[in-house]
Each structure stands twice: as C-alpha cells, then as structure tokens.
Amino acid sequence: MRLAGLACALALVAPVYAQGVADTVPADTSTSGAASGTQATSSSWWMPGSGRTAIGLNVGRSDFKTPCGAVFACDDTDRYWTLYGRTMANDMWGSEIAFVDMGDMERGGGTTRARGLNISLVGKMPIAETFGVFGKVGAMYGRTRTSTAAGADIAGGNENGFGLTVGAGLSWDFSPRMSAVLEWDRYNFRFRSGRDAVNTASVGLQYRY
C-alpha cells in the first residue's frame, strides 16, 4: 500500500507542477508563436508538439484463471484498478509503469489476492481524428496471498515473481489534454497452485501534459 500511496501522490502533484511551469513561460505573440501554439493544443495525441507524458487511472473487473478447488464455493471475479504513468518517445512508441490491483478471489474457504508493479512497451496508432488504438507488452513483478479454511483442497500461502503481461485498447481524446480509454489486459501471476493468468477489462481517464 505504500507503493500505491506514493503513486497516487505523484499523480496528484504532477499536473499542478506542470501547470506552474507553464505559467512562468512568457507568451509568444509573434505569428510563428501563434501557429506553434495552435499545433501544440491540437486534440490529436499523435501530432508533433502534443503532450507525450501522461498519468491515468483505470477501474474495472478482474477475472482470475487459477483453479477454484472442489470443496468450497468460488467467486473468481472482483474489482480491479490501476494507476499508471506513460511517456511517449515519439508519436507511436513509448513506455508505461503501472501499479495494478486485481482485488480478491474467493476460493478454498478463504481469499486469494493479487497485485503487482508492471512495466510495458506501448505502441499507438490513430484510426480517426480523435480516436486511436494501442497495444502493450511487458513484464510485471507480482505478489499473491492465498488464505484457506481447514479441509480446503488448494494450497495456501504467499508467492511472488515476474510474469508476462499484454494489453490492448481504444482511446478517445475528448479534449486537448484529456482522454477516455477502454482497455483489456492479461497478467500472469505466481500462485501457490502454480502460474496462472488474471484477465481484466476496464475504463479510465488519462491526463496528458
């Protein structure tokens, strides 16, 4: 939770700092300056001069693919959220770091929890003036914790390690600095029962600066 708290603090401070820096830069009233300003505030995120650094928050549902066991009832879905920062090296390629929380899966008379820190390579491509598609591939350091009741036929305990992650989504730039995203991701975690995936579907908001 300390990692999540630090990420949230950075997410809140970054836009304020960026705005403060912008306020200290003198306005250019020349013709060329006006033309540059028009281009920089374009709502198309793939155009040169637009903000290539962003912070975002997604919320949605997780779907655990690890075995439920046969003794107790099972609920393999829960709420999911991720807080991330993204930097684009150019109009099509960039990188992203994210904290992800899959929530809890009810199984074995207890719960299985999964969370992690993910780093991904991001590729983007426009499909219309303000719409785009993106894909991600990366690696995550994940931690899981499984508690069970007496008589459960699954193993309890903690696991951690690295796993592959992939994702894809749609982006809609509804203002020069804000985007809405619809996203699907697949994360691989280590559980006491073995290595299994957790799939997520989410929606979110992204602020570019």
Side-chain angles (χ1 to χ4, degrees), residues 5-151:
L6 178 59
C8 290
L10 291 173
L12 292 172
V13 171
V16 177
Y17 174 77
Q19 183 61 46
V21 173
D23 292 341
T24 63
V25 178
D28 185 352
T29 58
S30 66
T31 304
S32 60
S36 299
T38 302
Q39 185 180 27
T41 57
S42 169
S43 61
S44 301
W45 47 251
W46 60 86
M47 288 186 65
S50 61
R52 288 179 175 169
T53 301
I55 55 175
L57 175 67
N58 282 22
V59 295
R61 299 292 293 177
S62 59
D63 183 8
F64 288 73
K65 298 303 181 181
T66 192
C68 284
V71 177
F72 293 92
C74 178
D75 182 0
D76 58 7
T77 63
D78 198 14
R79 58 104 182 99
Y80 155 80
W81 66 271
T82 178
L83 180 66
Y84 62 90
R86 180 181 296 178
T87 298
M88 302 302 294
N90 54 42
D91 298 332
M92 298 186 65
W93 299 101
S95 59
E96 177 182 296
I97 183 168
F99 176 80
V100 296
D101 190 323
M102 307 294 150
D104 299 326
M105 172 186 181
E106 296 181 8
R107 63 176 188 143
T111 59
T112 296
R113 184 172 181 81
R115 63 181 72 176
L117 187 66
N118 185 61
I119 299 177
S120 298
L121 175 67
V122 181
K124 301 196 300 186
M125 184 176 68
I127 56 175
E129 184 178 358
T130 58
F131 287 89
V133 295
F134 61 89
K136 303 189 297 184
V137 60
M140 176 191 63
Y141 181 77
R143 297 178 61 89
T144 63
R145 183 184 70 230
T146 301
S147 62
T148 60

Side-chain angles (χ1 to χ4, degrees), residues 130-203:
T130 58
F131 287 89
V133 295
F134 61 89
K136 303 189 297 184
V137 60
M140 176 191 63
Y141 181 77
R143 297 178 61 89
T144 63
R145 183 184 70 230
T146 301
S147 62
T148 60
D153 57 347
I154 62 173
N158 301 331
E159 285 286 349
N160 58 76
F162 289 93
L164 178 69
T165 66
V166 293
L170 298 172
S171 175
W172 170 41
D173 304 332
F174 60 87
S175 82
R177 295 299 182 189
M178 296 292 295
S179 298
V181 298
L182 176 64
E183 188 168 343
W184 175 91
D185 295 279
R186 183 179 182 90
Y187 303 91
N188 283 287
F189 286 90
R190 289 179 182 268
F191 297 92
R192 291 291 291 169
S193 54
R195 183 182 291 278
D196 293 292
V198 181
N199 295 339
T200 65
S202 63
V203 294

